[in-house]
């Protein structure tokens, strides 16, 4: 089936390229700049003679392709500037470059001073695979662009979440990974993408080379197959440019932090047929945690080639090497956070977590005649990580004594992806269609290394602890009361498990514009996943075992309706479902079917005061009616089951909530954005053995809120070049620990306190130089991110950073 599927799409590709070869059409393109040479986005460009138009991108570029030969009048207009016109003569197969420089109109500026930029409901999401205006999409989305990333001096992905409603940090396991969730469900590696390709989030992504971060909330199974229900995020890196430029920057801050970065771009030739971009950075820092440090190197080269007038080839590389101290936090005693200083580190001084990630992505885009486009992408990712250090702090006694063990693990993963998408627009009578037809296939090959984790005592003479995981004994309240060991034991490899997974899918989606006021989005995907037979090589016993393979498939439909009573208001409702592949077997030793998750969403998107203010509200409900859990009894129905691998589809988890977003375009130098979300994720059906009906799922705050205010002094002010901002971020109370149940009545939940973070920022720009200052957690608030009860990591205290940059 997989071979047949891809033969079909490749034939489709070749056929359409061949048909398109006879097209004889021209193009008008160019760039919109301010009077001082800065790019301007969201400028309207239209042709007077025909009903064709577009808007400029964030780089100021615009394109009007597929034009018949003729004479055209280009009209450029934008709020607050003079409208410009220019006449051009276009011949067949000709590409005309026409740039414009905007001139401010003082009379219009006196009425409304608006900085160039797009509003919240004007930013399309590339992760959607087809260009749909946010107002036409029956789904909540959020895009955090480069201007916000620079203004907030974003260092890691969790900084971005402070501006995205309903998406939050679940935990920071070991200090080397940020666990992100939305609407009650985790954004694992299946839900994390970079440039449209899945990205292993076991290592924290590097943000210096990021152009924007996109969030598609809710159900996305039709586009990506096996994804969790809460949503997906897509990291979009900086792309090549055909003009020469770049930036050199240096950031420093609290706890011996420093980070030089370089960003260079330009064209290879005078005809601008090929361009490049290279981002690279090095970071080294200490921590507010004693003996904890980190070091990372990152480089992101990319190359763009225009193959003729209608075809583009983009090649992107991505390399990250991250080495840091694993830190599982302050510990807990009987499911209560230990009262030790925020800075106290309980691990070993020599511990390490070494991660390396390599990615190569090739994207070929071909413009077909009459608004059709074919896009193919192939990607490869190699990821490996090795952890060696103190075991997670479990079993600490009331007096603080802890028999400290060790842990060592290594994972190596190869990931391959191929996908092909055909997008187009056409009409059937008066009804217009925007269609997406695509297919994808990906493959994982994961090797997990387990190590012998006992016999750590120095001479092995004490028979009582010879086979226990005891490295030494410490007291977390009084570190000086015991002598800590500093030697690094040798741990032999115990076994290697190799797990191959192959997935494929085919999907079709259509946005049907019944009228200017009513639009329907409908689609369906078929997904197939084959967990191939896994091998388990036992090194000590020189033997190989096997884990049987199994397959799952599912259909994922999507249906949404959008009603726009006026152009500035969009009301929508949608239904989608997704599926979760389940591990284990049922009582008859058969593989479990996937759990189907139903998702409902309604909302409204509004642009008020001529688009200066956007207000969006969304309500949702997500129901997993077949939540997999350990089976109560064996096949006879009476014998209790004690094997956690024998499972059943029983019970129910429900997530429901509301999200509110408010954002403005910059007005008189001010810009404002705010958001609030309420989420309730609970077990709504169960038998009490594994969980109890009404219990909240752990790590999910019921309330989150954010607000940010930014001001930039105008050119006519004595303080021109200065800007300042404040951001407030609130996370409500959460639960960690472990849910008690009939199966585990001694488990307990840990209540984590809510917290509010206040961040201040300021900047100054003069000519090509800029200086940005930032202070985070101004009030030095203390709270924790906790995984179970064994990675209790305090949030960072008050910190200061400064960044100086020079644009080339």
């Amino acid at each position: 089936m997989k071979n047949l599927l891809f033969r079909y799409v490749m034939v489709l590709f070749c056929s359409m390229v061949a048909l398109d070869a006879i097209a004889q059409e021209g193009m008008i393109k160019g760039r919109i700049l301010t009077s001082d040479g800065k790019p301007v986005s969201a400028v309207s460009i239209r042709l007077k003679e025909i009903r064709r138009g577009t808007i400029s991108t964030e780089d100021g570029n615009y394109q009007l392709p597929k034009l018949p030969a003729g004479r055209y009048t280009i009209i450029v207009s934008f709020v607050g500037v003079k409208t410009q016109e220019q006449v051009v003569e276009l011949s067949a197969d000709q590409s005309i470059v026409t740039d414009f420089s905007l001139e401010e109109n003082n009379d219009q500026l006196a009425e409304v001073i608006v900085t160039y930029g797009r509003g919240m409901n004007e930013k399309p999401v590339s992760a959607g695979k087809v260009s749909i205006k946010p107002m036409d999409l029956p789904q909540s989305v959020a895009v955090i662009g480069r201007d916000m990333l620079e203004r907030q001096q974003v260092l890691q992905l969790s900084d971005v979440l402070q501006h995205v409603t309903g998406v939050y940090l679940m935990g920071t396991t070991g200090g080397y990974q940020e666990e992100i969730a939305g609407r009650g469900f985790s954004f694992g590696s299946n839900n994390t993408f970079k440039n449209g390709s899945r990205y292993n989030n076991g290592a924290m992504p590097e943000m210096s080379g990021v152009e924007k971060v996109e969030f598609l909330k809710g159900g996305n199974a039709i586009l990506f197959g096996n994804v969790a229900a809460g949503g997906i995020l897509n990291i979009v890196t900086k792309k090549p440019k055909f003009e020469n430029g770049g930036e050199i920057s240096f950031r420093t801050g609290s706890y011996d932090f420093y980070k030089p970065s370089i960003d260079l771009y330009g064209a290879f030739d005078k005809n601008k047929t090929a361009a490049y971009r290279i981002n690279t950075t090095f970071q080294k820092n200490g921590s507010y945690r004693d003996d904890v440090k980190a070091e990372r190197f990152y480089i992101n080269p990319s190359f763009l080639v225009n193959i003729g007038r209608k075809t583009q080839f983009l090649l992107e590389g991505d390399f990250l090497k991250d080495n840091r101290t694993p830190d599982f936090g302050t510990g807990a005693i009987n499911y209560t956070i230990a009262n030790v200083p925020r800075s106290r580190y309980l691990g070993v001084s020599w511990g390490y977590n070494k991660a390396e990630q390599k990615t190569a992505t090739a994207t070929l885009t071909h413009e077909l005649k009459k608004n059709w486009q074919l896009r193919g992408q192939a990607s490869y990712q190699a990821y490996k990580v090795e952890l060696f250090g103190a075991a997670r702090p479990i079993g600490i006694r009331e007096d603080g004594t802890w028999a400290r063990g060790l842990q060592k693990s290594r994972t190596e993963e190869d990931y391959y992806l191929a996908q092909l998408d055909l997008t187009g627009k056409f009409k059937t009578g008066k009804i217009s269609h925007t269609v997406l037809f695509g297919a994808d296939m990906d493959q994982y090959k994961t090797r997990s290394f387990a190590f012998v984790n006992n016999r750590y005592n120095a001479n092995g003479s004490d028979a009582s602890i010879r086979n226990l995981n005891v490295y030494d004994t410490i007291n977390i309240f009084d570190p000086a009361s015991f002598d800590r060991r500093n030697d690094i034991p040798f741990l032999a490899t115990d076994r290697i498990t190799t797990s191959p997974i192959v997935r494929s899918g085919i999907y079709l989606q259509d946005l049907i514009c019944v009228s200017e006021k009513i639009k329907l989005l409908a689609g369906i995907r078929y997904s197939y996943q084959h967990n191939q037979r896994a091998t388990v090589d036992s090194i000590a016993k020189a033997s190989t075992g096997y884990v049987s393979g199994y397959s799952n498939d599912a259909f994922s439909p999507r249906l949404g309706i959008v009603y726009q009573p006026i152009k500035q208001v969009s009301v929508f409702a949608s239904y989608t479902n997704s599926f979760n592949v389940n591990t284990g077997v049922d009582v008859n030793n058969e593989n479990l079917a996937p759990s189907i998750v139903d998702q409902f969403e309604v909302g409204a998107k509004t642009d008020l005061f001529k688009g200066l203010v956007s207000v969006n509200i969304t309500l949702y409900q997500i129901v997993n009616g077949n939540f997999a859990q350990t089976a109560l009894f064996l096949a006879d129905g009476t014998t209790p089951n004690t094997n956690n691998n024998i499972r059943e589809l029983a019970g129910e988890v429900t997530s429901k909530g509301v999200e509110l977003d408010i954002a403005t375009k910059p007005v008189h130098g001010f810009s404002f954005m705010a958001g609030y979300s309420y989420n309730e994720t609970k077990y709504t059906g169960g038998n009490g053995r594994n969980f109890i009906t009404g219990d909240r799922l752990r790590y999910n705050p019921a309330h989150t809120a954010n607000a940010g205010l930014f001001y930039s002094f105008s050119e006519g002010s004595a303080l021109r070049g200065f800007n300042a901002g404040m951001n407030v971020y609130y996370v409500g109370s959460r639960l960690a620990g472990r849910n008690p149940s009939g199966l585990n009545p001694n488990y307990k939940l840990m209540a984590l306190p809510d917290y509010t973070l206040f961040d201040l920022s300021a900047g100054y720009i003069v000519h090509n130089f800029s200086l940005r200052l930032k202070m985070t957690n101004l009030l030095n608030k203390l709270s924790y991110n906790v995984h179970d009860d064994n990675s209790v990591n305090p949030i960072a205290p008050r910190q200061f950073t400064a960044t100086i940059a020079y644009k080339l």
Side-chain angles (χ1 to χ4, degrees):
M1 175 185 172
K2 297 189 290 292
N3 292 333
L4 180 62
L5 173 65
F6 276 88
R7 287 177 184 173
Y8 171 77
V9 295
M10 289 308 298
V11 169
L12 177 66
F13 174 76
C14 296
S15 300
M16 291 192 171
V17 172
L19 288 173
D20 189 56
I22 62 172
Q24 299 292 323
E25 299 170 323
M27 173 188 292
I28 299 174
K29 62 182 179 179
R31 201 169 187 219
I32 313 297
L33 302 172
T34 61
S35 56
D36 57 355
K38 296 180 180 179
V40 187
S41 64
V43 175
S44 172
I45 303 100
R46 58 189 177 90
L47 301 179
K48 186 176 182 179
E49 290 76 12
I50 59 176
R51 297 184 63 181
R52 285 286 303 276
T54 186
I55 60 174
S56 59
T57 65
E58 294 180 358
D59 293 330
N61 295 314
Y62 74 91
Q63 285 188 354
L64 291 166
K66 308 179 187 67
L67 297 174
R71 181 183 178 92
Y72 295 100
T73 303
I74 308 173
I75 302 175
V76 175
S77 60
F78 189 63
V79 176
V81 299
K82 293 179 181 178
T83 299
Q84 299 185 39
E85 295 187 8
Q86 184 167 333
V87 178
V88 297
E89 291 281 351
L90 182 67
S91 59
D93 269 350
Q94 184 184 15
S95 180
I96 294 179
V97 178
T98 306
D99 298 333
F100 290 88
S101 178
L102 299 182
E103 300 177 8
E104 291 81 2
N105 183 312
N106 290 329
D107 293 335
Q108 291 176 318
L109 287 175
E111 297 177 8
V112 54
I113 302 175
V114 181
T115 302
Y116 313 117
R118 297 187 186 182
M120 180 170 61
N121 293 325
E122 298 174 324
K123 300 176 181 178
V125 181
S126 62
K129 297 188 177 184
V130 61
S131 180
I132 297 178
K133 297 177 182 178
M135 293 290 278
D136 294 341
L137 188 65
Q139 181 178 15
S140 177
V141 300
V143 179
I144 304 300
R146 188 65 205 168
D147 55 343
M148 176 70 75
L149 300 178
E150 288 183 349
R151 182 193 311 165
Q152 297 297 325
Q153 298 186 69
V154 165
L155 180 64
Q156 50 202 37
L157 194 54
S158 57
D159 297 335
V160 180
L161 305 185
Q162 297 186 19
H163 309 284
V164 182
T165 306
V167 184
Y168 44 87
L169 195 63
M170 291 179 65
T172 52
T173 299
Y176 51 77
Q177 181 184 19
E178 293 186 321
E179 299 167 282
I180 296 170
R183 299 184 175 181
F185 297 90
S186 173
F187 285 19
S189 294
N190 274 336
N191 291 56
T192 305
F193 295 80
K194 177 173 278 190
N195 297 321
S197 178
R198 277 189 171 87
Y199 183 80
N200 192 308
N201 63 4
M204 289 184 284
E206 174 58 42
M207 301 301 294
S208 61
V210 175
E211 183 66 31
K212 61 180 178 178
V213 184
E214 305 172 332
F215 296 85
L216 279 72
K217 304 177 187 178
N220 295 282
I222 187 174
L223 300 175
F224 303 106
N226 182 21
V227 293
I232 67 105
L233 67 89
N234 181 44
I235 299 170
V236 181
T237 57
K238 297 176 181 177
K239 306 303 180 188
K241 295 184 178 183
F242 284 100
E243 66 272 9
N244 295 325
E247 182 180 86
I248 299 174
S249 65
F250 180 79
R251 179 183 296 188
T252 186
S254 304
Y255 305 105
D256 299 320
F257 177 94
Y258 64 84
K259 183 184 180 76
S261 301
I262 300 176
D263 177 17
L264 300 174
Y265 52 82
F268 281 110
D269 60 331
K270 294 182 179 180
N271 294 326
K272 297 184 176 180
T273 57
Y276 71 91
R277 190 160 194 167
I278 298 176
N279 290 280
T280 185
T281 186
F282 173 78
Q283 176 184 321
K284 191 171 184 178
N285 60 273
S287 172
Y288 62 95
R289 303 277 294 160
D290 299 335
D291 300 321
V292 173
K293 55 187 180 297
E295 182 176 299
R296 62 168 34 198
F297 171 76
Y298 174 78
I299 187 168
N300 168 221
S302 56
F303 304 93
L304 178 65
V305 181
N306 289 322
I307 307 173
R309 184 168 53 87
K310 295 187 176 184
T311 306
Q312 279 191 339
F313 176 73
L314 176 64
L315 179 63
E316 298 172 281
D318 206 76
F319 175 79
L320 172 67
K321 188 172 185 179
D322 184 283
N323 186 3
R324 63 185 60 233
T325 307
D327 176 17
F328 292 94
T330 60
I333 301 175
N334 193 23
Y335 299 98
T336 301
I337 296 174
N339 185 20
V340 298
R342 183 188 235 162
S343 62
R344 183 160 297 165
Y345 171 63
L346 303 181
V348 293
S349 59
W350 48 264
Y352 63 82
N353 185 84
K354 297 179 180 179
E356 185 176 287
Q357 200 161 21
K358 304 173 186 176
T359 303
T361 303
T363 305
L364 185 67
T365 305
H366 182 70
E367 298 290 339
L368 302 171
K369 60 189 300 183
K370 296 183 180 179
N371 298 318
W372 289 85
Q373 182 187 87
L374 200 60
R375 181 177 181 270
Q377 185 178 74
S379 179
Y380 167 72
Q381 180 183 131
Y383 172 78
K384 61 181 180 181
V385 60
E386 181 171 298
L387 167 70
F388 191 17
R392 301 187 182 200
I394 302 175
I396 303 175
R397 298 176 183 174
E398 293 288 343
D399 64 356
T401 302
W402 175 36
R404 189 168 57 166
L406 296 182
Q407 60 177 330
K408 186 175 184 180
S409 63
R410 182 164 73 239
T411 300
E412 298 175 355
E413 179 182 276
D414 291 303
Y415 174 67
Y416 304 85
L417 167 71
Q419 57 184 351
L420 186 64
D421 292 315
L422 172 67
T423 60
K425 295 182 180 181
F426 65 94
K427 285 189 175 182
T428 54
K430 294 184 178 181
I431 298 177
S432 61
H433 301 262
T434 301
V435 297
L436 164 67
F437 171 65
D440 56 34
M441 183 173 74
D442 60 0
Q443 176 179 339
Y444 282 98
K445 186 176 182 180
T446 305
R447 293 170 296 277
S448 301
F449 294 74
F451 297 83
V452 178
N453 62 350
N454 54 23
R455 297 184 296 278
Y456 298 142
N457 52 309
N459 54 30
S461 59
D462 188 345
S464 65
I465 64 171
R466 188 175 303 160
N467 294 317
L468 298 179
N469 183 358
V470 177
Y471 175 66
D472 62 5
T473 300
I474 66 171
N475 188 289
I476 67 171
F477 298 128
D478 186 8
S481 61
F482 289 88
D483 292 330
R484 296 191 179 197
R485 286 177 59 179
N486 291 311
D487 59 299
I488 307 177
F490 171 75
L491 274 66
T493 303
D494 184 31
R495 63 185 181 277
I496 304 173
T497 303
T498 303
S499 306
I501 299 175
V502 177
R503 299 184 295 203
S504 60
I506 187 168
Y507 44 92
L508 175 65
Q509 177 182 278
D510 187 8
L511 175 65
I512 306 168
C513 295
V514 180
S515 67
E516 291 186 359
K517 295 184 177 181
I518 300 177
K519 295 159 188 176
L520 299 174
L521 182 66
I524 192 167
R525 175 190 178 99
Y526 171 75
S527 297
Y528 173 82
Q529 176 167 326
H530 179 43
N531 290 55
Q532 297 176 333
R533 187 175 72 166
T535 60
V536 182
D537 296 311
S538 179
I539 307 302
K541 297 180 180 180
S543 62
T544 298
Y546 301 95
V547 178
S548 298
Y550 58 94
S551 301
N552 282 296
D553 63 347
F555 286 94
S556 301
R558 177 180 192 176
L559 180 64
I561 184 170
V562 176
Y563 174 62
Q564 291 183 266
I566 58 176
K567 186 177 180 180
Q568 296 78 20
V569 177
S570 175
V571 181
F572 67 89
S574 68
Y575 164 78
T576 63
N577 76 24
S578 59
F579 70 100
N580 297 328
V581 174
N582 293 305
T583 59
V585 295
D586 63 16
V587 295
N588 297 313
N589 204 34
E590 299 290 338
N591 294 313
L592 287 174
S595 297
I596 304 300
V597 184
D598 295 307
Q599 306 183 58
F600 304 88
E601 187 171 341
V602 297
K605 305 175 185 179
T606 62
D607 288 334
L608 309 175
F609 307 108
K610 298 183 178 180
L612 296 181
V613 181
S614 299
V615 180
N616 297 348
I617 186 169
T618 307
L619 294 89
Y620 60 86
Q621 178 172 287
I622 305 171
V623 181
N624 183 348
N626 279 319
F627 188 73
Q629 62 177 8
T630 303
L632 286 177
F633 303 98
L634 298 180
D636 60 11
T638 59
T639 303
N641 172 44
T642 58
N643 184 350
N644 291 333
N645 194 52
I646 300 177
R647 312 178 74 200
E648 61 185 348
L649 296 178
E652 181 181 84
V653 171
T654 300
S655 168
K656 55 186 178 182
V658 60
E659 297 165 353
L660 174 67
D661 290 283
I662 303 172
T664 72
K665 290 182 178 179
V667 180
H668 296 287
F670 284 98
S671 60
F672 174 77
M673 65 183 302
Y676 166 77
S677 72
Y678 169 78
N679 171 263
E680 179 185 82
T681 305
K682 292 185 175 181
Y683 296 108
T684 50
N687 49 36
R689 180 176 172 84
N690 295 83
F691 55 81
I692 299 173
T693 299
D695 279 358
R696 282 174 57 189
L697 264 68
R698 297 168 295 165
Y699 319 125
N700 299 297
H703 305 273
T704 62
N706 63 83
L709 180 65
F710 183 79
Y711 179 73
S712 181
F713 289 90
S714 64
E715 287 294 321
S717 169
L719 295 176
R720 64 183 180 276
F722 281 97
N723 55 71
M726 180 181 70
N727 189 71
V728 183
Y729 180 55
Y730 172 76
V731 177
S733 60
R734 297 142 292 147
L735 296 173
R738 303 166 191 262
N739 286 84
S741 64
L743 186 64
N744 298 292
N746 295 323
Y747 283 173
K748 294 181 181 179
L749 291 170
M750 299 168 56
L752 305 179
D754 63 346
Y755 62 92
T756 304
L757 300 179
F758 290 86
D759 295 349
L760 298 179
S761 62
Y764 178 65
I765 302 173
V766 55
H767 302 300
N768 292 347
F769 287 95
S770 65
L771 174 66
R772 296 188 182 277
L773 308 174
K774 183 178 182 181
M775 183 172 289
T776 58
N777 197 359
L778 181 66
L779 303 181
N780 207 32
K781 187 70 174 179
L782 174 63
S783 188
Y784 300 85
N785 292 304
V786 181
H787 182 89
D788 288 339
D789 60 338
N790 52 48
S791 190
V792 184
N793 298 93
I795 65 173
R798 184 188 302 113
Q799 295 188 89
F800 175 81
T801 59
T803 304
I804 186 170
Y806 177 76
K807 289 189 178 295
L808 303 174

